[in-house]
Coordinates of all heavy atoms in Angstrom, one line a residue:
L531 N 123.9 -82.5 23.3 CA 124.4 -81.1 23.6 C 123.4 -80.2 24.3 O 123.8 -79.5 25.2 CB 124.8 -80.5 22.2 CG 126.1 -80.9 21.6 CD1 126.2 -80.6 20.1 CD2 127.3 -80.2 22.4
D537 N 130.0 -82.2 25.7 CA 130.5 -80.8 25.8 C 130.7 -80.1 24.4 O 130.7 -78.9 24.3 CB 131.8 -80.8 26.6 CG 131.6 -81.4 27.9 OD1 130.9 -80.8 28.7 OD2 132.3 -82.4 28.2
Y538 N 130.9 -81.0 23.4 CA 131.5 -80.4 22.2 C 131.2 -81.3 21.0 O 131.3 -82.6 21.1 CB 133.0 -80.3 22.4 CG 134.0 -80.1 21.3 CD1 133.7 -79.3 20.2 CD2 135.2 -80.7 21.3 CE1 134.6 -79.1 19.2 CE2 136.2 -80.5 20.4 CZ 135.9 -79.7 19.3 OH 136.8 -79.5 18.3
G539 N 130.9 -80.8 19.9 CA 130.7 -81.5 18.6 C 131.1 -80.7 17.5 O 131.2 -79.5 17.5
W543 N 124.6 -77.6 12.1 CA 123.3 -77.6 12.7 C 122.4 -76.6 12.0 O 122.5 -75.4 12.3 CB 123.5 -77.2 14.2 CG 122.3 -77.5 15.1 CD1 121.0 -77.5 14.8 CD2 122.3 -78.0 16.5 NE1 120.2 -77.8 15.8 CE2 121.0 -78.2 16.9 CE3 123.4 -78.2 17.3 CZ2 120.7 -78.6 18.2 CZ3 123.1 -78.7 18.6 CH2 121.7 -78.8 19.0
G546 N 120.8 -73.5 13.7 CA 121.4 -73.7 15.1 C 121.2 -72.6 16.0 O 121.1 -72.8 17.2
E547 N 121.1 -71.3 15.5 CA 120.9 -70.2 16.4 C 119.6 -70.3 17.2 O 119.5 -70.1 18.4 CB 120.9 -68.9 15.6 CG 122.3 -68.5 15.0 CD 123.3 -68.2 16.2 OE1 122.9 -67.6 17.2 OE2 124.5 -68.6 16.0
F550 N 119.4 -74.1 19.1 CA 120.4 -74.5 20.1 C 120.8 -73.3 20.9 O 120.6 -73.2 22.1 CB 121.6 -75.2 19.5 CG 122.7 -75.5 20.4 CD1 122.5 -76.4 21.5 CD2 123.9 -74.9 20.3 CE1 123.5 -76.8 22.4 CE2 124.9 -75.2 21.2 CZ 124.7 -76.2 22.2
V551 N 121.4 -72.3 20.3 CA 121.9 -71.1 21.0 C 120.9 -70.4 21.8 O 121.1 -70.1 23.0 CB 122.6 -70.2 20.0 CG1 123.1 -68.9 20.8 CG2 123.8 -70.8 19.3
A552 N 119.7 -70.2 21.2 CA 118.6 -69.4 21.9 C 118.1 -70.2 23.1 O 117.5 -69.5 24.0 CB 117.5 -69.2 20.9
D554 N 119.8 -71.5 25.5 CA 120.7 -71.1 26.7 C 121.8 -70.3 26.2 O 123.0 -70.7 26.0 CB 121.2 -72.4 27.4 CG 122.0 -72.1 28.7 OD1 122.1 -70.9 29.0 OD2 122.4 -73.0 29.3
P555 N 121.6 -69.0 25.8 CA 122.6 -68.1 25.2 C 123.9 -68.0 26.0 O 124.9 -67.8 25.4 CB 121.9 -66.8 25.1 CG 120.4 -67.1 25.1 CD 120.3 -68.3 26.0
E556 N 123.8 -68.2 27.3 CA 125.0 -68.1 28.2 C 126.0 -69.2 27.9 O 127.2 -69.0 28.0 CB 124.6 -68.0 29.6 CG 125.8 -67.8 30.6 CD 125.4 -67.6 32.0 OE1 124.2 -67.5 32.3 OE2 126.3 -67.6 32.9
N557 N 125.4 -70.4 27.7 CA 126.3 -71.6 27.6 C 126.3 -72.2 26.2 O 127.3 -72.9 25.9 CB 125.8 -72.7 28.6 CG 126.0 -72.3 30.0 OD1 127.1 -71.9 30.4 ND2 125.0 -72.4 30.9
N558 N 125.3 -72.1 25.4 CA 125.3 -72.7 24.1 C 125.9 -71.8 23.0 O 125.5 -70.7 22.9 CB 123.8 -73.1 23.7 CG 123.2 -74.1 24.7 OD1 123.9 -74.7 25.5 ND2 122.0 -74.4 24.5
E559 N 126.8 -72.4 22.3 CA 127.5 -71.7 21.2 C 127.6 -72.5 20.0 O 128.0 -73.7 20.0 CB 128.9 -71.2 21.7 CG 129.6 -70.4 20.6 CD 131.0 -70.0 21.1 OE1 131.2 -69.8 22.3 OE2 131.9 -69.9 20.3
Y560 N 127.3 -71.9 18.8 CA 127.5 -72.6 17.5 C 128.4 -71.6 16.7 O 128.0 -70.5 16.5 CB 126.1 -72.8 16.8 CG 126.3 -73.4 15.4 CD1 126.9 -74.6 15.2 CD2 125.7 -72.7 14.4 CE1 127.0 -75.1 14.0 CE2 125.8 -73.2 13.1 CZ 126.5 -74.4 12.9 OH 126.6 -74.9 11.6
S561 N 129.5 -72.1 16.2 CA 130.5 -71.3 15.6 C 130.9 -71.9 14.2 O 130.9 -73.1 14.1 CB 131.7 -71.1 16.4 OG 131.4 -70.4 17.6
F562 N 131.3 -71.0 13.3 CA 131.8 -71.5 12.0 C 133.1 -70.8 11.8 O 133.2 -69.6 11.9 CB 130.8 -71.0 10.9 CG 131.1 -71.5 9.5 CD1 130.8 -72.8 9.1 CD2 131.8 -70.7 8.6 CE1 131.2 -73.2 7.8 CE2 132.2 -71.1 7.4 CZ 131.8 -72.3 7.0
Y563 N 134.1 -71.6 11.4 CA 135.5 -71.1 11.3 C 135.9 -71.2 9.8 O 136.3 -72.3 9.4 CB 136.5 -71.8 12.2 CG 136.1 -71.8 13.6 CD1 135.1 -72.6 14.1 CD2 136.8 -71.0 14.5 CE1 134.7 -72.6 15.5 CE2 136.4 -71.0 15.9 CZ 135.4 -71.8 16.3 OH 135.1 -71.7 17.7
A799 N 131.6 -75.9 14.8 CA 131.8 -76.4 16.2 C 130.6 -76.0 17.0 O 130.2 -74.9 16.9 CB 133.1 -75.9 16.8
V800 N 130.1 -76.9 17.9 CA 129.0 -76.7 18.7 C 129.4 -77.0 20.2 O 130.0 -78.0 20.4 CB 127.8 -77.5 18.4 CG1 126.6 -77.1 19.1 CG2 127.5 -77.5 16.9
F801 N 129.3 -76.0 21.1 CA 129.7 -76.1 22.4 C 128.5 -76.0 23.4 O 127.7 -75.1 23.2 CB 130.7 -75.1 22.8 CG 131.9 -74.9 21.8 CD1 131.9 -73.8 21.0 CD2 132.9 -75.9 21.7 CE1 132.9 -73.6 20.1 CE2 133.9 -75.7 20.8 CZ 133.9 -74.6 20.0
N802 N 128.5 -76.8 24.4 CA 127.7 -76.6 25.6 C 128.7 -76.3 26.7 O 129.5 -77.1 27.2 CB 126.9 -77.8 26.0 CG 126.0 -77.5 27.2 OD1 126.4 -76.9 28.2 ND2 124.7 -77.9 27.1
K803 N 128.8 -75.0 27.1 CA 129.9 -74.5 28.0 C 129.5 -74.6 29.5 O 130.1 -73.9 30.3 CB 130.3 -73.1 27.6 CG 130.8 -73.0 26.2 CD 131.4 -71.7 25.8 CE 130.2 -70.7 25.6 NZ 130.7 -69.4 25.1
N808 N 136.6 -71.3 27.5 CA 137.8 -70.9 26.9 C 138.1 -71.7 25.6 O 139.2 -72.1 25.3 CB 139.0 -71.1 27.8 CG 140.2 -70.3 27.4 OD1 140.1 -69.1 27.0 ND2 141.4 -70.8 27.5
W809 N 137.0 -72.0 24.9 CA 137.1 -72.6 23.6 C 137.7 -71.7 22.5 O 137.6 -70.5 22.7 CB 135.7 -73.1 23.1 CG 135.1 -74.2 24.0 CD1 134.3 -74.0 25.1 CD2 135.4 -75.6 24.0 NE1 134.0 -75.2 25.7 CE2 134.6 -76.2 25.0 CE3 136.2 -76.4 23.2 CZ2 134.7 -77.5 25.3 CZ3 136.2 -77.8 23.4 CH2 135.4 -78.3 24.5
P810 N 138.2 -72.2 21.4 CA 138.8 -71.3 20.4 C 137.9 -70.2 19.9 O 136.7 -70.5 19.7 CB 139.3 -72.2 19.3 CG 139.5 -73.5 20.0 CD 138.4 -73.6 21.1
V811 N 138.4 -69.1 19.6 CA 137.6 -68.0 19.0 C 138.2 -67.6 17.7 O 139.4 -67.3 17.6 CB 137.6 -66.7 19.9 CG1 136.8 -65.6 19.3 CG2 137.0 -67.1 21.3
M812 N 137.4 -67.7 16.6 CA 137.9 -67.4 15.3 C 138.5 -65.9 15.2 O 137.8 -65.0 15.7 CB 136.8 -67.5 14.2 CG 137.3 -67.4 12.8 SD 138.5 -68.7 12.4 CE 139.0 -68.1 10.8
P819 N 138.8 -75.5 16.6 CA 138.3 -76.7 17.2 C 137.9 -77.7 16.2 O 136.7 -77.8 15.8 CB 137.1 -76.2 18.1 CG 136.6 -75.0 17.3 CD 137.8 -74.4 16.7

Side-chain angles (χ1 to χ4, degrees):
L531 278 160
D537 304 295
Y538 166 38
W543 195 325
E547 289 295 321
F550 177 64
V551 177
D554 186 356
E556 182 178 352
N557 291 311
N558 294 354
E559 179 180 332
Y560 175 57
S561 297
F562 184 84
Y563 303 78
V800 189
F801 312 107
N802 184 318
K803 298 186 287 187
N808 202 41
W809 296 95
V811 177
M812 187 63 189

